[in-house]
Structures are given as C-alpha cells and as structure tokens.
Amino acid sequence: MMLRIWVLIVGFMVPCFAGSVWAQFVPPASDEVMLRLTQQELDEDAAGRVPKAHAESLAKQFNVPVKTVEELRASKQGWGEIAIRLSIARELTKTDPKSYPSMTEAIQRVGELRAQGTGWGEIAKQLGFTLGPVVSDVRRAREQIRAEAKKSATGGVVAPQPVGERSAGKQDTKVERGQRTERAERPARPERPERPQRPERPERAGRQ
C-alpha cells in the first residue's frame, strides 16, 4: 500500500518538476514575435469588413487624418501593417520631436526603413525606443476592430428601456392581473329566524 502511494506521488511530481525546469530554459516570446502575431490577428479580424470603418478607427486612435490611413491602405498594406507603422511613427514623434515634429515626417521615415527590408525590432532600435508600447497600440487597434465587427453583426446595440418605464409597466400588469383574478364577493347569508319558545308544560296533579 505504501509503495503504491509513493509511486503516485513520484508520478505526479516528475512532470511538474520537468515543466518548471523546461520553463526556465524556454525564453518568453519577444515583443517582435508578439507584434507579428497581433498583426496577423488584426488582418484576419478585418478581412471582409467595411474598410471605411477601419480607416476611421485607426485615424482616431493615432490622431491622424482618415486620408493618411487610406493612402497607406492604397499602397497595398494590411491593416496590421498600417497600425504598426502609425504606432512606431507616433513613438518617434515622442522620442525625437525636433527631427520629427509631426506624424507626416515620422510616417515617411518609418516607410523608408521598411522599404529597406528592416524588421520592426530593428526599426524601433534605430529610432531609439522599444516595441512594448507598439505592441500595446496594435492590440488596442485589434480589439477596436473586433468590437466594430461584433456591433455590425448584431445590427447595433439596442437601447435598453428606462428603469422607470419598466417598473411602471410591471405594476400595471400586476394590477390588471389582480383585476382579472379578483373574485366576486359572496352574498351575505340571511339571518336565521329566532326559534319560538316552547310553552311550559302544565304541572301534573298529584296522585291521591
């Protein structure tokens, strides 16, 4: 019995120990890998959707004209690629505002580096920042596009009925039900007539 218990304990601990050791040797996914995965997911979510809504969403998020997003889209770039370029351009305006005071110059610089075949991680490194904020921006863009797709699929959100009206409607319904189920009052039972008093019996004459 004890041997069987020890076998079960060892069998449970070995996979856990092996998993913890393996996790120490396997590094977490880099920001560039996460960015590529998010880019792919954003492209998949936007497939077959209305491009005008996506352009407006990205323009609002990165504070650029809709025309800027549409021009990037016209150059055969996917929505994930556009979101990454806009995010990197915005980080560039923050990191080096003297050289790149506006998004127009920053987007142009990112486009030049991208045309040379430079990866996103190397572009961020050359421009003086990391990809962490860029990954967060692209994820937000993906969630926004998913929300738009869900709203379009459901035909918009139906406005709920005000609480006061719902309460009043329920009270009226209860009153109507009460009126329908109210029973008719029973007629009063007639009073029973008093019973006449019985006459007293005459006393019998005594026997002699």
Side-chain angles (χ1 to χ4, degrees), residues 32-126:
E32 188 164 4
V33 172
M34 296 298 298
L35 188 61
R36 290 177 181 175
L37 292 175
T38 308
Q39 175 184 354
Q40 183 179 358
E41 291 175 352
L42 197 153
D43 289 335
E44 293 174 354
D45 293 340
R49 306 295 180 182
V50 181
K52 182 68 173 178
H54 299 334
E56 293 176 351
S57 177
L58 292 177
K60 182 179 180 181
Q61 179 175 345
F62 296 102
N63 195 23
V64 296
V66 178
K67 184 179 179 181
T68 300
V69 181
E70 292 176 343
E71 289 175 354
L72 292 172
R73 181 63 176 172
S75 61
K76 306 301 181 181
Q77 297 181 30
W79 294 109
E81 174 91 8
I82 295 173
I84 295 173
R85 291 199 182 202
L86 292 174
S87 179
I88 291 179
R90 184 164 65 179
E91 289 298 317
L92 181 57
T93 60
K94 298 177 182 178
T95 305
D96 192 0
K98 292 183 178 180
S99 303
Y100 305 95
S102 67
M103 286 288 288
T104 302
E105 290 86 1
I107 292 172
Q108 184 177 357
R109 178 56 178 158
V110 175
E112 292 173 356
L113 294 173
R114 192 62 173 165
Q116 298 172 7
T118 311
W120 297 123
E122 184 62 27
I123 290 176
K125 184 178 180 180
Q126 291 185 23

Side-chain angles (χ1 to χ4, degrees), residues 103-207:
M103 286 288 288
T104 302
E105 290 86 1
I107 292 172
Q108 184 177 357
R109 178 56 178 158
V110 175
E112 292 173 356
L113 294 173
R114 192 62 173 165
Q116 298 172 7
T118 311
W120 297 123
E122 184 62 27
I123 290 176
K125 184 178 180 180
Q126 291 185 23
L127 297 179
F129 51 86
T130 63
L131 287 177
V134 179
V135 175
S136 300
D137 285 344
V138 178
R139 284 178 175 175
R140 280 193 292 270
R142 180 197 62 187
E143 294 301 325
Q144 183 63 29
I145 286 180
R146 286 182 175 179
E148 292 173 356
K150 184 177 181 180
K151 183 177 179 180
S152 177
T154 57
V157 179
V158 180
Q161 187 180 3
V163 177
E165 295 183 6
R166 291 200 302 266
S167 300
K170 291 182 179 180
Q171 291 178 358
D172 294 342
T173 304
K174 290 181 179 180
V175 172
E176 292 177 359
R177 291 178 179 176
Q179 292 176 353
R180 289 197 300 267
T181 59
E182 186 178 357
R183 296 182 178 180
E185 296 183 359
R186 295 183 178 181
R189 303 177 71 177
E191 297 182 359
R192 300 176 65 179
E194 296 183 358
R195 301 175 66 179
Q197 296 182 355
R198 299 176 64 180
E200 296 181 357
R201 294 182 178 181
E203 294 182 358
R204 295 182 179 182
R207 295 182 178 180

